[in-house]
Amino acid sequence: MIKKILYATCLGFLALIGCKKDGSSIGALPGKDDAAFAVYENSFLEGLWKLDPNWATSVGYHKYDSLLLVPDNKLRDKLVTYAKVQIDSLSRFEVNTLNESNRIDYRIMQNQMELLEWKLQQLKEYQWNPASYNVTGTFAYILNEHYEPLAQRLRHFYQKMANIPAYYKEAEKQIKNPVAELTSLAINQHIGGIGIFEKDFADSLKKTNIPAAEQKQMMSRAKTSADAIKAYAEWLKALKNDKPHSFRLGKELYEAKFKYEIQSDFTAQQIYNSAVERKKYLHREMAKISKKLWPKYFGNAPVPADSLELISKVIDTLSAKHAEPADFQSAIEKEIPKLTAFVKTKDLVTLDPSKPLIVRREPGYMSGVAGASMSSPGPYDKGGNSYFNVGSLSGWPATRAESYMREYNNYTLQILCIHEAIPGHYVQLLYANKTPGLIKSIFGNGAMVEGWAVYSEEMMLDNGFGGDDPEMRLMWYKWHLRSVCNAILDYAVHTQNMTQQDALKLLTHEAFQQQAEAEGKWQRVTVSSVQLDSYYTGYKEIMNLRNDWKKKAGDKYKLKEFNEKFLSYGSAPVKLIKDAMLTKPADNNTGK
Ligand code: ZN
Ligand code: ZN
């Protein structure tokens, strides 16, 4: 489940990043056909990248790599104007005259511009979220991705550093009564990212033949940058914050954020209600399996009368089978070929062997939110690497590491790998990068992406992965309960004032999580919102869509065909994919 993919996290950067000159960049003249729309899409993106070079870099568009824009009021005004102009430009197209792919793009672009306006004018995260000013990720990206010769990337890195002091000075001006939890996160992430300037940059310089005098200058600016970042972290530490903004979003902002970020047919409240029902269903099924397994593991011992206690005891016994904390990464590496073979044998979805997956230790600049995640090549960087980032447990107290490894035991570790890699995120994102056009990848929908990963877990089990063992099914239910409880937790915490105590009780008692996992989840829900809702929402929508598709296909239904058709739309919102898959194209367009 774990966490958002790299470029999805960048959606959050949008609100804060700087602008060059005149950002309002009006698009090409609108027309009524697809050719005109394609021209407009291009200018739409070009205008956006000028206003948000960090986002551009993260998706693989490198024209503005050397720019860091200062996040001041003027920049925000330019972004709002940009959004208004684009909404107006879009309204001059007749959406029904566009082909299927462009109709989806149109609705994504319109939603994105509404989201941008809403974020800057209603959500105002730039005031209360100090972590949203973190630039270390973009610098790390320039340093680590091999899209241009090293010396060239380092020179862009150098030019981009010029504005770091001004950038953080402005951040200090913009921040008012920040959320305490986000302040701590910002301090940790900024300190965690300093190594990029203090060490990684220098190490990389040594590998180039950039003249010594120039290198010296570059090193000196890296020092100034590191100092500015440290000063920001120190400023945050010392900040007198008597009336911090609550980390809880409240119902109104939450529903609005859900509407724009998830783009679902459901409301957040409906998803919450559905998740509560799903939890009850899972508890019933888990009790049945646990009763069946009881004699195998507990012999003649009396079966606990309380069904949650019964389930918990069986899960606890099964969780004892786990790798050593030091072997977490190598255990993951061993799973990948097994999953590849299974997907091929069962003919579930076509895999692309030319794009290998690299398992690596999670880079420092990413840490602080979750333990394992995928980073995939951006839409402009189709040849880039796919990384399976694994957090290190070294330095953890033994009891915490043990608790974590019980959570990622021999059963759930396999599910983790399905979710993150095959046929989960890694496979989905390879398909997404094959989708023609850029809009669907650039504005990748988190609920579609996470929903696919959750859906793929169940699909693997339903096709016999794990040998139809009741143990595996029980542990998957437990794992799936996590997605379901993520949705319950996120909504209840942000809109119903759920306390930390009740949250931990839900996660440990009703979702059978280890203490370390539950505490990590609590931390995450205090520094994010709506994102935890995306897993269950996307899953539910994909399952609904597959049922509808099945009915429509009748005897001709093939799972692989559904999977590949679904993935062929890229990371578009499930709602829009559904419209495309279930609706016949209009008469006057050729589709595509
Ligand atoms: Zn995921
Ligand atoms: Zn153990």
Side-chain angles (χ1 to χ4, degrees):
M1 317 270 134
I2 312 296
K3 88 185 164 197
K4 17 187 178 185
I5 41 156
L6 187 57
Y7 72 74
T9 65
C10 299
L11 298 174
F13 295 177
L14 181 56
L16 326 141
I17 326 284
C19 157
K20 205 168 107 192
K21 298 181 277 183
D22 175 21
S24 52
S25 166
I26 299 161
L29 290 174
K32 284 199 171 185
D33 61 4
D34 292 306
F37 191 74
V39 172
Y40 169 65
E41 274 194 0
N42 250 330
S43 70
F44 172 95
L45 290 173
E46 183 57 34
L48 183 59
W49 301 148
K50 267 190 211 159
L51 287 165
D52 196 337
N54 283 11
W55 192 1
T57 297
S58 74
V59 297
Y61 187 85
H62 298 298
K63 193 165 146 189
Y64 303 116
D65 273 8
S66 59
L67 295 178
L68 178 66
L69 305 183
V70 175
D72 55 14
N73 296 348
K74 257 203 275 180
L75 171 65
R76 265 203 319 281
D77 290 347
K78 281 179 184 163
L79 282 161
V80 170
T81 304
Y82 170 80
K84 286 187 197 298
V85 169
Q86 304 313 314
I87 289 169
D88 180 63
S89 298
L90 279 164
S91 75
R92 288 186 240 169
F93 284 93
E94 186 58 62
V95 63
N96 292 320
T97 66
L98 301 173
N99 70 32
E100 182 182 70
S101 176
N102 282 338
R103 283 203 302 274
I104 294 177
D105 286 0
Y106 181 103
R107 290 167 72 184
I108 292 173
M109 290 154 78
Q110 191 177 41
N111 179 72
Q112 280 296 325
M113 291 302 100
E114 288 167 5
L115 169 62
L116 175 56
E117 241 191 302
W118 176 80
K119 271 190 160 177
L120 296 178
Q121 298 188 318
Q122 308 295 324
L123 188 64
K124 298 184 179 173
E125 208 171 346
Y126 59 88
Q127 290 180 348
W128 48 261
N129 183 3
S132 63
Y133 291 95
N134 190 356
V135 298
T136 60
T138 313
F139 281 97
Y141 183 100
I142 295 172
L143 209 57
N144 296 327
E145 294 292 325
H146 301 266
Y147 53 88
E148 280 166 5
L150 179 61
Q152 193 178 333
R153 284 185 282 121
L154 293 179
R155 286 192 171 108
H156 287 156
F157 188 111
Y158 167 72
Q159 287 159 354
K160 191 179 176 76
M161 282 193 294
N163 259 354
I164 284 185
Y167 180 96
Y168 282 105
K169 209 174 264 168
E170 185 61 39
E172 290 174 12
K173 239 194 261 173
Q174 296 286 341
I175 291 169
K176 306 245 152 43
N177 310 318
V179 171
E181 290 78 2
L182 290 166
T183 305
S184 306
L185 180 71
I187 293 166
N188 291 338
Q189 286 185 336
H190 279 85
I191 289 172
I194 272 177
I196 294 155
F197 301 89
E198 285 189 333
K199 183 169 182 302
D200 302 354
F201 182 65
D203 291 349
S204 300
L205 270 181
K206 281 179 210 141
K207 293 179 207 153
T208 68
N209 51 14
I210 293 175
E214 192 185 345
Q215 286 205 19
K216 210 179 143 202
Q217 216 177 358
M218 291 167 89
M219 291 289 296
S220 148
R221 188 177 283 173
K223 164 115 185 26
T224 309
S225 302
D227 289 346
I229 291 169
K230 272 185 223 162
Y232 177 63
E234 289 305 320
W235 180 81
L236 288 172
K237 276 186 201 165
L239 189 66
K240 224 173 143 270
N241 193 8
D242 294 332
K243 283 187 221 144
H245 198 283
S246 169
F247 70 85
R248 300 177 200 270
L249 220 49
K251 190 164 167 56
E252 202 180 319
L253 286 176
Y254 192 93
E255 281 288 359
K257 195 175 182 206
F258 181 90
K259 182 181 95 175
Y260 291 123
E261 290 194 347
I262 307 263
Q263 274 193 281
S264 164
D265 279 334
F266 298 100
T267 64
Q269 170 85 61
Q270 286 170 327
I271 288 298
Y272 172 78
N273 295 343
S274 162
V276 169
E277 288 310 307
R278 180 78 178 158
K279 179 176 65 135
K280 288 181 197 158
Y281 166 82
L282 291 171
H283 281 166
R284 284 196 299 272
E285 293 301 306
M286 292 169 89
K288 276 188 227 162
I289 299 176
S290 300
K291 214 170 259 169
K292 227 168 52 187
L293 285 174
W294 184 265
K296 182 171 168 187
Y297 293 95
F298 295 91
N300 292 326
V303 180
D306 179 75
S307 68
L308 291 183
E309 194 193 327
L310 161 69
I311 298 166
S312 165
K313 286 216 155 111
V314 176
I315 285 175
D316 213 40
T317 300
L318 298 178
S319 301
K321 294 185 196 169
H322 62 77
E324 289 303 311
D327 298 333
F328 187 42
Q329 187 171 325
S330 64
I332 284 172
E333 279 162 357
K334 278 181 208 145
E335 286 302 323
I336 306 301
K338 284 189 222 162
L339 295 172
T340 307
F342 186 85
V343 167
K344 275 191 196 154
T345 309
K346 298 286 175 168
D347 204 27
L348 300 177
V349 62
T350 307
L351 301 176
D352 180 356
S354 71
K355 300 272 159 69
L357 174 66
I358 302 161
V359 182
R360 70 172 178 188
R361 176 158 296 186
E362 182 177 71
Y365 69 87
M366 284 181 157
S367 65
V369 183
S373 66
M374 271 298 305
S375 303
S376 276
Y380 289 97
D381 253 353
K382 296 185 182 181
N385 294 330
S386 292
Y387 296 107
F388 190 156
N389 310 305
V390 183
S392 167
L393 278 61
S394 76
W396 285 29
T399 49
R400 189 172 169 219
E402 166 70 12
S403 169
Y404 191 86
M405 289 314 297
R406 288 178 67 89
E407 192 75 29
Y408 294 100
N409 54 61
N410 291 357
Y411 300 98
T412 48
L413 190 86
Q414 298 179 64
I415 300 165
L416 170 74
C417 293
I418 293 174
H419 177 102
E420 295 296 336
I422 296 166
H425 290 321
Y426 161 67
V427 171
Q428 190 269 318
L429 288 159
L430 286 184
Y431 273 84
N433 275 346
K434 281 186 201 151
T435 311
L438 295 162
I439 296 292
K440 298 175 196 72
S441 296
I442 288 164
F443 303 108
N445 181 272
M448 184 278 177
V449 170
E450 290 302 346
W452 169 264
V454 175
Y455 160 82
S456 73
E457 300 157 16
E458 187 173 25
M459 177 186 60
M460 289 287 274
L461 260 67
D462 287 350
N463 282 278
F465 183 82
D468 292 322
D469 281 351
E471 283 92 343
M472 191 70 185
R473 180 62 68 166
L474 178 66
M475 293 307 260
W476 179 68
Y477 280 149
K478 179 207 167 214
W479 177 276
H480 181 52
L481 205 43
R482 187 196 276 174
S483 294
V484 172
C485 287
N486 278 349
I488 296 172
L489 177 78
D490 206 54
Y491 190 80
V493 166
H494 283 287
T495 76
Q496 299 170 348
N497 276 320
M498 180 186 247
T499 63
Q500 178 173 7
Q501 197 185 2
D502 287 348
L504 292 177
K505 197 174 161 208
L506 169 76
L507 298 176
T508 57
H509 187 66
E510 292 195 69
F512 314 105
Q513 291 179 15
Q514 301 291 324
Q515 194 67 21
E517 181 79 6
E519 281 168 8
K521 191 54 60 71
W522 172 257
Q523 195 220 332
R524 185 161 157 194
V525 78
T526 64
V527 298
S528 74
S529 51
V530 176
Q531 200 270 334
L532 283 171
D533 231 352
S534 59
Y535 305 83
Y536 179 67
T537 308
Y539 162 79
K540 182 177 163 61
E541 292 193 289
I542 295 171
M543 290 305 278
N544 287 357
L545 170 56
R546 195 177 72 179
N547 284 337
D548 293 348
W549 170 267
K550 228 177 191 166
K551 269 184 219 144
K552 205 179 148 195
D555 297 346
K556 290 187 198 123
Y557 169 75
K558 275 206 188 77
L559 177 59
K560 186 183 191 180
E561 217 169 274
F562 170 80
N563 288 339
E564 293 184 352
K565 180 81 180 155
F566 178 78
L567 292 175
S568 74
Y569 293 95
S571 310
V574 180
K575 174 168 93 169
L576 303 186
I577 298 178
K578 178 179 121 188
D579 289 353
M581 283 177 78
L582 298 180
T583 317
K584 285 213 175 95
D587 296 339
N588 58 350
N589 82 70
T590 52
K592 190 195 151 252

